[in-house]
Amino acid sequence: GAVVSQHPSWVICKSGTSVKIECRSLDFQATTMFWYRQFPKQSLMLMATSNEGSKATYEQGVEKDKFLINHASLTLSTLTVTSAHPEDSSFYICSAISTSGSYNEQFFGPGTRLTVL
Amino acid sequence: AQSVAQPEDQVNVAEGNPLTVKCTYSVSGNPYLFWYVQYPNRGLQFLLKYITGDNLVKGSYGFEAEFNKSQTSFHLKKPSALVSDSALYFCAVRDGVRGYNKLIFGAGTRLAVHP
């Protein structure tokens, strides 16, 4: 099946710094990628929809200036957490839609655990 | 409003016994339903989906799910549980209102299979 990778798999940073997380579709082109956040023992919450070549669409309550999303190519989307704070510590998961598959099925990356000290 | 409910936070099953993880949904239009599994510190792995056709859907690792339109349910089942099935399971439905490709996830059910 389609493979989605994320880098890094985990990151620890100091409060106030920025962190970039990459999401790549390895063997397919993805015009649309999604970014989710998952807190411990909770479900996935959609943060934003990333479309190649255009601005991301953010869900209500998600600060677009804090969570910068860039979808520069058909295989790469990046999420930058700017001026990170401890409350941003979470598990971030991306997914990508394979336009070649049926019903535009989402394929999920392995996730990135962010810890802000 | 479109939503997914997983009424059980945790399901405990003895190895070799059948398991059921419950899911009910509320959607406008035809439901597109999914089950995913998540192991610790990992992303979601696709198990199975219902789009149309037979109400009984067979998926990965011996799992299956039954779509019941009258009860608006899509329970996940497996005839004989394995210890390695212990994980977090999410039911999801496609959000046909906010975006055709967006998924709405249930809260998740932790499955614990005991030897």
Side-chain angles (χ1 to χ4, degrees):
Chain A
V3 179
V4 176
S5 70
Q6 283 185 238
H7 178 80
S9 56
W10 60 270
V11 58
I12 301 173
C13 69
K14 294 182 179 180
S15 184
T17 60
S18 295
V19 175
K20 179 184 285 187
I21 302 170
E22 293 185 348
C23 176
R24 293 182 185 272
S25 56
L26 297 185
D27 50 2
F28 65 99
Q29 293 185 332
T31 56
T32 302
M33 291 183 173
F34 298 94
W35 286 97
Y36 296 85
R37 181 164 57 180
Q38 184 182 28
F39 291 106
K41 298 184 179 181
Q42 294 189 25
S43 188
L44 280 72
M45 298 298 295
L46 179 64
M47 299 175 65
T49 302
S50 171
N51 296 298
E52 187 267 337
S54 63
K55 292 183 178 180
T57 303
Y58 290 82
E59 296 299 306
Q60 189 173 6
V62 178
E63 300 176 59
K64 62 180 181 180
D65 294 330
K66 181 169 185 60
F67 299 99
L68 300 179
I69 292 173
N70 187 307
H71 195 154
S73 75
L74 287 173
T75 59
L76 174 64
S77 175
T78 61
L79 168 68
T80 301
V81 183
T82 62
S83 186
H85 291 285
E87 58 265 29
D88 298 324
S89 299
S90 187
F91 195 53
Y92 292 87
I93 301 174
C94 73
S95 70
I97 290 179
S98 171
T99 54
S100 62
S102 61
Y103 305 107
N104 292 341
E105 182 177 337
Q106 286 191 36
F107 298 93
F108 286 82
T112 296
R113 183 161 301 283
L114 170 63
T115 301
V116 184
L117 302 177
Chain B
Q2 309 209 114
S3 63
V4 177
Q6 292 180 245
E8 303 153 316
D9 291 336
Q10 179 155 330
V11 171
N12 297 301
V13 179
E15 187 175 29
N17 283 1
L19 69 86
T20 299
V21 182
K22 296 180 180 179
C23 172
T24 58
Y25 65 89
S26 174
V27 299
S28 57
N30 295 322
Y32 287 12
L33 298 158
F34 304 82
W35 274 102
Y36 290 88
V37 60
Q38 184 181 33
Y39 295 96
N41 296 311
R42 303 287 295 276
L44 272 64
Q45 295 180 32
F46 171 79
L47 282 178
L48 50 80
K49 66 182 176 185
Y50 172 82
I51 305 297
T52 186
D54 292 339
N55 290 342
L56 184 63
V57 179
K58 293 187 182 298
S60 305
Y61 313 120
F63 283 93
E64 58 188 28
E66 186 170 10
F67 170 66
N68 188 316
K69 187 174 183 178
S70 62
Q71 297 185 4
T72 61
S73 67
F74 190 55
H75 301 331
L76 181 70
K77 300 181 179 182
K78 187 173 183 180
S80 179
L82 300 173
V83 173
S84 58
D85 292 330
S86 299
L88 188 57
Y89 291 80
F90 290 101
C91 181
V93 63
R94 172 168 285 170
D95 186 344
V97 175
R98 293 184 304 152
Y100 189 67
N101 292 315
K102 293 184 178 180
L103 292 177
I104 300 173
F105 286 90
T109 298
R110 187 164 300 281
L111 174 65
V113 182
H114 304 286

